[in-house]
Amino acid sequence: TQQLLPGLSPRQRPFRVANADRSVKKGIMADSLRDLVNKVMDALHICCVSALVLDEDGTGVDTEDYFQTLVDNTAFVVLEKGQAWTAPVQLTISPVKA
Amino acid sequence: TQQLLPGLSPRQRPFRVANADRSVKKGIMADSLRDLVNKVMDALHICCVSALVLDEDGTGVDTEDYFQTLVDNTAFVVLEKGQAWTAPVQLTISPVKA
């Protein structure tokens, strides 16, 4: 791992990353997109990350500068080769009407 | 258990932990993820914790650094082997219409 001088290194921030079918999610600390990708491979047992996309709308996050604009606890979906982002399912349970 | 020097040890903070079907919930003080896991086993009579996940979306909390970013009273669900997180049911109680 890369060791940056104190003061130059961005701080570790929390993110949430799910696999493509959202069956597994992990909270992960990372200071950069590269750092996050490395830790995602470890945490989710993925060998080859094809893309890291925003959970909410599938926006691909490819660059460090865009990554640094994201707020803490931004939710990602990690895609492996051949996988595509799908919209998150929102279940609403409504009271039964008589 | 690990004994840290006073002043270096993080303070005890409150958390809420439910079992997988949310039939039992406990308020538990912990200063670390390891501490919380130990106390959860005691409080909920669980011998083998498979994962501690966020109640709201099932995000797995595996690392101390991510754990330390969580706010007081964060709600967890504890999973034993073979158990999976399910979305919390939100019941809306509406006034009965005549």
Side-chain angles (χ1 to χ4, degrees):
Chain A
T1 52
Q2 205 176 1
Q3 191 68 27
L4 295 173
L5 291 174
L8 289 181
S9 62
R11 70 185 176 85
Q12 294 275 326
R13 297 192 298 139
F15 297 96
R16 297 182 189 187
V17 184
N19 60 355
D21 65 5
R22 295 184 179 81
S23 59
V24 183
K25 296 183 191 183
K26 297 284 182 181
I28 297 175
M29 300 294 288
D31 62 12
S32 65
L33 179 57
R34 171 189 288 252
D35 187 30
L36 184 59
V37 167
N38 283 336
K39 288 173 176 170
V40 162
M41 293 193 292
D42 237 35
L44 295 176
H45 310 294
I46 287 173
C47 78
C48 313
V49 172
S50 161
L52 212 58
V53 306
L54 297 183
D55 175 78
E56 63 185 85
D57 67 356
T59 299
V61 179
D62 299 346
T63 62
E64 290 290 351
D65 51 358
Y66 187 83
F67 176 82
Q68 293 297 343
T69 70
L70 299 171
V71 298
D72 288 8
N73 275 308
T74 292
F76 292 90
V77 169
V78 62
L79 302 176
E80 297 179 83
K81 197 177 168 179
Q83 292 180 329
W85 173 86
T86 52
V89 175
Q90 285 200 331
L91 289 178
T92 307
I93 297 179
S94 310
V96 176
K97 283 177 189 162
Chain B
T1 53
Q2 205 176 2
Q3 191 69 27
L4 295 173
L5 291 174
L8 288 180
S9 61
R11 69 187 175 86
Q12 294 275 327
R13 298 192 298 137
F15 297 96
R16 299 184 186 182
V17 184
N19 61 353
D21 65 6
R22 295 183 179 82
S23 60
V24 182
K25 296 182 191 184
K26 299 282 181 180
I28 297 175
M29 299 294 289
D31 63 12
S32 65
L33 179 58
R34 171 188 288 251
D35 187 30
L36 184 60
V37 168
N38 284 336
K39 289 173 176 170
V40 162
M41 292 192 294
D42 240 35
L44 294 176
H45 311 294
I46 287 172
C47 79
C48 312
V49 172
S50 162
L52 211 58
V53 306
L54 298 182
D55 175 79
E56 64 184 81
D57 68 354
T59 297
V61 179
D62 298 349
T63 62
E64 291 289 352
D65 52 359
Y66 187 84
F67 176 83
Q68 294 297 342
T69 70
L70 299 171
V71 298
D72 288 7
N73 276 307
T74 292
F76 292 90
V77 169
V78 61
L79 302 177
E80 297 178 82
K81 196 176 170 180
Q83 293 180 329
W85 174 85
T86 53
V89 175
Q90 287 201 329
L91 290 178
T92 308
I93 298 181
S94 311
V96 177
K97 285 176 188 164

